[in-house]
């Protein structure tokens, strides 16, 4: 995980050690961590797909490119 993920894990561990998190809250936090991890992976996948798509398409219009090459 990123920096925030590490911070959340550390904060969760501290709260668990202090006994400030109920069992239900612990289950919810674990589910949210799994969801966050999934969303981060999807985001990275979408970014890679967008980069690949952008690399395939020319950035200039055909008319502009032709005018520049004349």
């Amino acid at each position: 995980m990123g920096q925030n993920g590490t911070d959340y894990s550390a904060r969760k561990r501290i709260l668990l050690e202090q006994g400030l998190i109920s069992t239900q809250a612990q289950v919810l936090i674990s589910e949210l961590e799994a969801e966050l991890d999934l969303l981060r992976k999807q985001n990275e996948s979408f970014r890679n797909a967008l980069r690949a798509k952008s690399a395939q398409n020319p950035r200039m219009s055909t008319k502009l490119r032709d005018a520049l090459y004349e």
Side-chain angles (χ1 to χ4, degrees), residues 14-22 25:
I14 290 169
L15 292 173
L16 284 171
E17 289 171 358
Q18 294 174 351
L20 298 174
I21 297 179
S22 68

Side-chain angles (χ1 to χ4, degrees), residues 2-64:
Q3 182 64 30
N4 288 340
T6 304
D7 292 344
Y8 294 146
S9 296
R11 289 168 56 191
K12 175 185 159 189
R13 184 178 32 78
I14 290 169
L15 292 173
L16 284 171
E17 289 171 358
Q18 294 174 351
L20 298 174
I21 297 179
S22 68
T23 305
Q24 294 88 357
Q26 186 176 352
V27 169
L28 176 62
I29 291 169
S30 296
E31 290 173 2
L32 291 172
E33 285 178 326
E35 178 88 12
L36 182 62
D37 188 44
L38 174 67
L39 291 173
R40 283 185 176 147
K41 288 177 183 176
Q42 285 180 343
N43 188 25
E44 185 62 29
S45 175
F46 291 148
R47 284 176 187 249
N48 289 338
L50 183 60
R51 281 188 208 112
K53 184 69 173 168
S54 294
Q56 292 175 356
N57 295 337
R59 296 184 187 263
M60 289 187 277
S61 70
T62 306
K63 289 181 182 180
L64 175 61

